[in-house]
Amino acid sequence: MGESSQATGKAHLIARLRGAGLRPTRQRVELTGLLFEGGDRHLTAEMLHEEAAQAGIRVSLATIYNTLHQLTDAGLLRQVTVDAARSYFDTNIGEHQHFYLEDEGTLIDIPGAEIAVAGVPNAPSGTRVERVDVVVRLRRD
Amino acid sequence: MGESSQATGKAHLIARLRGAGLRPTRQRVELTGLLFEGGDRHLTAEMLHEEAAQAGIRVSLATIYNTLHQLTDAGLLRQVTVDAARSYFDTNIGEHQHFYLEDEGTLIDIPGAEIAVAGVPNAPSGTRVERVDVVVRLRRD
DNA sequence: TCAATAGTTTGGAATTATTCTAATGAAAAT
DNA sequence: ATTTTCATTAGAATAATTCCAAACTATTGA
Ligand SMILES: [Mn+2]
Ligand SMILES: [Mn+2]
Ligand SMILES: [Zn+2]
Ligand SMILES: [Zn+2]
């Protein structure tokens, strides 16, 4: 086992990308590594770009956006809209909701089992519910 | 009663603006007229600008943004973030939630009495809950 | 193994919502 | 009526995101 546990998942990452119908390019493998190694994360395109640079990975911002959208379309990421200024991508695709710290721009998961929404009226005819999002907005006190 | 019921509220609008600490300028009076005469509405800056133009009111987009933010800060409007591409302003400031028709970009109110969120964990220390937003995202089926 | 093909990356330009600026205009105060 | 304070505006500036066309790379299948 010459490789650190960080690199352990490389084959898995490639399988993941293939499963999503995406070619496992150098960029995609490295980005999915950053995204999925290390637990649940909420990050913007800019944040991921920065993190990649930090890790010595050279990827264009266009590729960051492409990859985030492709992974989202494949169901491996979820896009979270809480701030008009920027989009967050969530590596946790399980059922859960969010605290949003408006002062920080930080998202915190609320496990889906803990929170419940009751009394949602029937969806207007011709439509179906795609998702129910709850955002608990927080402010420093 | 020479004036149509549309114009009836002019004095009221002026009082409303004064109450918010805003000078009742021609533009603000006309914009608040469009906003608050005619029930609950959800609209973007661009939509309001267009509507003003339609009504023969000449207002710059900068003033539209200024006014929407001032009214929001004064608590007469509420900003709704459901789409990364644009900001909606809601003339209904009562407690309620929303359906969001993603295909149309349309918001529909869900009365606050009908819907309930249970099981929200305590806010992290140092923070307080400012608001709990529920968005039921709909898709054409 | 090696083209041929289809899909990917990239720098930089373009787009779009929103904000900023500095000059001009209007409301409130004196 | 004058002065002072606040508001409006055109257009420039910002910032997130998307688009583009050229250069690259993974995959295919001879
Ligand atoms: Mn997209
Ligand atoms: Mn603002
Ligand atoms: Zn999350
Ligand atoms: Zn509403």
Side-chain angles (χ1 to χ4, degrees):
Chain A
M1 55 182 79
E3 327 232 287
S4 78
S5 76
Q6 310 302 319
T8 300
K10 198 168 175 194
H12 184 246
L13 294 173
I14 291 175
R16 206 132 47 166
L17 287 167
R18 283 235 167 74
L22 299 169
R23 289 186 182 174
T25 63
R26 197 202 85 223
Q27 292 85 337
R28 282 177 182 153
V29 172
E30 287 172 324
L31 290 178
T32 56
L34 290 177
L35 286 168
F36 299 114
E37 289 175 0
D40 296 339
R41 319 195 52 192
H42 305 95
L43 64 189
T44 64
E46 208 55 73
M47 287 164 69
L48 181 57
H49 191 226
E50 180 55 34
E51 195 166 306
Q54 230 62 83
I57 303 167
R58 199 152 65 287
V59 197
S60 73
L61 195 51
T63 294
I64 299 272
Y65 276 105
N66 288 340
T67 302
L68 287 172
H69 285 137
Q70 289 153 354
L71 293 175
T72 299
D73 292 348
L76 298 177
L77 282 180
R78 163 175 154 184
Q79 197 165 359
V80 180
T81 303
V82 287
D83 186 322
R86 56 182 155 272
S87 264
Y88 289 86
F89 291 85
D90 192 342
T91 61
N92 179 356
I93 55 174
E95 188 180 316
H96 71 286
Q97 303 299 344
H98 296 100
F99 279 122
Y100 182 57
L101 248 158
E102 302 196 307
D103 304 298
E104 314 273 307
T106 303
L107 282 163
I108 301 168
D109 281 348
I110 300 175
E114 299 191 4
I115 199 168
V117 179
V120 175
N122 294 109
S125 66
T127 70
R128 72 190 140 64
V129 175
E130 192 197 66
R131 200 164 93 186
V132 177
D133 288 340
V134 177
V135 178
V136 180
R137 293 173 186 279
L138 303 176
R139 269 285 160 73
R140 273 268 154 58
D141 58 12
Chain B
M1 55 183 78
E3 327 230 290
S4 77
S5 77
Q6 309 302 320
T8 300
K10 197 169 175 190
H12 183 245
L13 293 173
I14 291 176
R16 196 123 67 154
L17 287 167
R18 283 237 166 73
L22 299 170
R23 290 185 183 175
T25 63
R26 196 203 86 224
Q27 292 84 339
R28 282 177 182 155
V29 173
E30 288 173 322
L31 290 178
T32 55
L34 290 177
L35 286 168
F36 299 114
E37 289 175 0
D40 296 340
R41 320 195 51 193
H42 304 96
L43 64 191
T44 64
E46 208 56 71
M47 287 164 70
L48 181 56
H49 192 228
E50 179 56 34
E51 195 167 307
Q54 231 62 83
I57 302 168
R58 200 155 63 288
V59 197
S60 72
L61 195 50
T63 294
I64 298 274
Y65 276 104
N66 288 341
T67 302
L68 287 173
H69 284 138
Q70 290 151 353
L71 293 175
T72 300
D73 292 346
L76 298 176
L77 282 181
R78 164 176 153 183
Q79 197 164 357
V80 180
T81 302
V82 287
D83 187 321
R86 56 183 155 270
S87 263
Y88 289 85
F89 291 85
D90 192 342
T91 61
N92 179 356
I93 54 174
E95 188 181 316
H96 71 285
Q97 303 299 344
H98 296 99
F99 279 123
Y100 182 57
L101 247 158
E102 302 195 308
D103 304 298
E104 315 273 306
T106 304
L107 283 163
I108 301 169
D109 282 346
I110 299 176
E114 299 190 4
I115 199 168
V117 179
V120 176
N122 293 111
S125 67
T127 70
R128 73 190 138 64
V129 175
E130 191 198 64
R131 199 164 93 186
V132 177
D133 287 340
V134 177
V135 177
V136 180
R137 292 174 186 278
L138 303 176
R139 268 287 159 73
R140 272 270 155 58
D141 60 10

